[in-house]
Amino acid sequence: MISLWGGGFRILKTRKNSYYFKGFGLVPDWGKITTILQTEYW
C-alpha cells in the first residue's frame, strides 16, 4: 500500500528517503491530496 501512496499517487510526504516521520508515522501531503480531488480528469 505504501508503494502505491508513495510511488503511484505520491500523496505521502517524504523526509530524505523515508516516508516515516519519527513521532508522527506516515504523514499525508494534504496539498497534493486536495489538488488531486479538485482536478477534473474527464
Side-chain angles (χ1 to χ4, degrees), residues 32-42:
K32 288 183 183 179
I33 293 171
T34 303
T35 301
I36 290 169
L37 293 174
Q38 291 176 345
T39 302
E40 293 186 30
Y41 292 100
W42 293 279

Side-chain angles (χ1 to χ4, degrees), residues 1-2 5 7 10 15 18 20 22-23 26 34 39-40:
M1 190 65 140
I2 290 177
W5 288 6
R10 300 193 189 282
R15 179 180 227 177
S18 176
Y20 184 78
K22 187 176 181 179
L26 298 175
T34 303
T39 302
E40 293 186 30

Side-chain angles (χ1 to χ4, degrees), residues 9-22:
F9 295 123
R10 300 193 189 282
I11 59 173
L12 294 177
K13 287 189 177 185
T14 58
R15 179 180 227 177
K16 297 182 184 174
N17 290 331
S18 176
Y19 293 109
Y20 184 78
F21 284 74
K22 187 176 181 179

